[in-house]
Amino acid sequence: MSQLPTIKVWDYLEELEEEKDDILEGILKVLHSGRLVLGESGRNFESAFSAYCGVDHGIGVDNATNGLFLALKALNIGPGDEVITVSNTAVPTAAAIVAAGAAPRFVDIDPETYLMDVSLLEAAVTSRTRCILPVHLYGQCVDMAAVQEVAQRHGLTVMEDCAQAHGATQRGRKAGSMSDMGVFSFYPTKPLGGYGDAGMVVTSNPELDHKLRRLRFYGMDTTYYSEEPGFNSRLDEIHAEILLRKLSRLDGYIAKRRALAERYDRLLASTSLKLPSIQAGNEHVYYLYVCAHPDRDRIIAELKHMGILVNISYPWPIHTMRGFAQFGYHAGDLPKTELAATHIFSLPMYPALTFAAQDKVCTALGDILGEPIAKDERLDGLP
């Protein structure tokens, strides 16, 4: 009989305990301000986060799915258009494309990094293609120089899905700064996560900045007067204030994630697990620590029996889902994506995870695989 989970794939309670005084102070500040939507906290967070990313403008939204949707609308992408992206991603990437009225055109992945295989982009471009939407998956960036080269040759826009890549860099440039727009999620599990849904679009294009601010607020520049059809996708002040305060700690969160990842690398190096691969020029932030093994399902079941929970991101490629069947893809169309979906799983990864808990995870994996793990210091906590 399996025991109750003792190690979760993600947890925020210890972090909250450390930060709760600051978080509660921020909430009370907003409540006493008299302005709960589109106020000072939102403006301050937009300015601070866009500066962190190295771009000029940030537009806070209610979630990243709507951020992607609004960004596509701002580019006038809709019915009859295609957006090139990947099937190995969260459903919201493709759902936003469909919501805008366009069609996703999927390309396969690099089996080492699980990122978009940029060598396939050229062949994927059609007369209907308007945009390339690379996904910076698991915490590292797609080869953006290669993406931009194809985009410029064909007159396409580029938009980065940065939902998992806050603070990730490629050759010194941060995720979100290497295209027309970058879209971030602040869902609780993210490297910079709130306590509910929130998102942001970042751009250095002043026209897109103005367009996005209008679209997120019913198409209005002035209250009660709509200039065009718009939507209600505003970031509320409480979330903005919380995220602004957590932003000052983001680099610290990332440092802890990298320390955990480096330790996983060392402890599991001699096992048959396929460990994460970092693309040249990238600095990974390890939103997830993704392994692969052909006997994945047994490994997951036995870990659960030991009280250790892991996750699969993602078990079903989007192109094989009934919800996207209208786009004509079938099993076998993206073989590397489909193979990865049967092998990948992510180990516990969050800043408050202790070395002692990590030791238990690695020891359990070694026992399940019947393979030795490396010896390392046994420290309860991170430096």
Side-chain angles (χ1 to χ4, degrees):
M1 186 175 182
S2 62
Q3 65 185 74
L4 292 173
T6 57
I7 300 175
K8 300 177 183 179
V9 70
W10 172 80
D11 192 15
Y12 70 93
L13 293 176
E14 289 183 39
E15 179 184 287
L16 176 62
E17 188 63 28
E18 292 178 6
E19 299 179 355
K20 66 180 180 181
D21 289 344
D22 186 43
I23 298 298
L24 292 174
E25 179 184 271
I27 292 171
L28 287 174
K29 174 186 173 183
V30 172
L31 293 177
H32 290 146
S33 74
R35 186 66 181 263
L36 302 179
V37 179
L38 297 182
E40 181 182 13
S41 292
R43 291 190 296 272
N44 288 344
F45 179 53
E46 289 173 339
S47 177
F49 188 74
S50 58
Y52 177 84
C53 294
V55 299
D56 295 336
H57 309 288
I59 304 92
V61 292
D62 53 346
N63 59 70
T65 310
N66 282 340
L68 290 166
F69 166 73
L70 294 178
L72 292 166
K73 296 293 284 185
L75 294 171
N76 297 315
I77 290 174
D81 297 330
E82 290 178 348
V83 178
I84 299 175
T85 191
V86 289
S87 182
N88 180 40
T89 182
V91 168
T93 306
I97 295 169
V98 176
R105 185 165 175 80
F106 297 114
V107 296
D108 216 340
I109 60 171
D110 176 342
E112 294 303 311
T113 63
Y114 312 116
L115 299 170
M116 174 183 279
D117 185 342
V118 294
S119 71
L120 301 175
L121 284 175
E122 192 78 44
V125 176
T126 74
S127 60
R128 297 173 56 194
T129 306
R130 293 283 312 284
C131 179
I132 303 175
L133 178 51
V135 181
H136 299 325
L137 200 67
Y138 305 147
Q140 68 168 327
C141 298
V142 175
D143 183 348
M144 291 303 296
V147 172
Q148 288 289 6
E149 183 179 336
V150 174
Q152 290 168 17
R153 190 156 51 245
H154 293 277
L156 307 175
T157 56
V158 179
M159 181 166 61
E160 300 164 72
D161 183 334
C162 307
Q164 304 182 4
H166 315 62
T169 65
Q170 185 169 95
R171 298 178 179 88
R173 297 184 66 182
K174 279 201 168 77
S177 69
M178 296 177 279
S179 64
D180 297 276
M181 286 179 281
V183 182
F184 289 85
S185 169
F186 303 116
Y187 186 75
T189 61
K190 306 301 183 184
L192 179 61
Y195 295 98
D197 276 317
M200 188 176 293
V201 184
V202 299
T203 182
S204 288
N205 184 319
E207 294 180 2
L208 289 174
D209 173 52
H210 179 243
K211 180 81 167 177
L212 285 160
R213 292 184 189 282
R214 178 188 283 177
L215 285 171
R216 74 171 177 183
F217 185 44
Y218 309 110
M220 296 179 181
D221 290 328
T222 303
T223 303
Y224 300 125
Y225 190 94
S226 179
E227 299 287 348
E228 62 178 314
F231 309 90
N232 178 11
S233 298
R234 300 165 296 188
L235 173 63
D236 70 76
E237 287 290 282
I238 287 177
H239 271 116
E241 183 65 29
I242 290 171
L243 290 163
L244 177 63
R245 289 164 182 254
K246 294 190 73 176
L247 177 60
S248 66
R249 298 186 279 272
L250 176 56
D251 287 342
Y253 300 152
I254 292 171
K256 291 179 180 180
R257 288 176 179 272
R258 286 175 173 156
L260 287 163
E262 190 272 338
R263 200 159 182 272
Y264 272 136
D265 286 346
R266 284 187 285 120
L267 290 170
L268 299 173
S270 61
T271 71
S272 56
L273 291 168
K274 180 180 180 294
L275 303 181
S277 176
I278 302 178
Q279 184 169 276
N282 279 351
E283 290 189 6
H284 205 310
V285 297
Y286 293 99
Y287 167 60
L288 299 176
Y289 188 90
V290 177
C291 299
H293 196 281
D295 204 13
R296 177 197 64 192
D297 293 345
R298 179 183 69 86
I299 294 169
I300 291 176
E302 294 197 25
L303 285 172
K304 184 177 181 181
H305 186 80
M306 297 176 179
I308 298 168
L309 298 183
V310 297
N311 191 46
I312 304 172
S313 299
Y314 300 92
W316 299 285
I318 293 173
H319 73 283
T320 67
M321 295 181 183
R322 287 187 296 275
F324 295 87
Q326 67 269 35
F327 299 107
Y329 289 90
H330 303 93
D333 287 345
L334 302 174
K336 294 173 184 176
T337 297
E338 292 165 34
L339 180 63
T342 67
H343 285 52
I344 56 175
F345 65 107
S346 51
L347 301 183
M349 172 59 75
Y350 52 94
L353 182 70
T354 64
F355 282 170
Q358 188 180 32
D359 284 340
K360 292 179 182 178
V361 173
C362 294
T363 299
L365 284 167
D367 291 343
I368 292 167
L369 294 168
E371 298 168 349
I373 65 166
K375 300 295 183 182
D376 205 346
E377 69 273 16
R378 297 299 192 256
L379 299 176
D380 185 11
L382 289 165

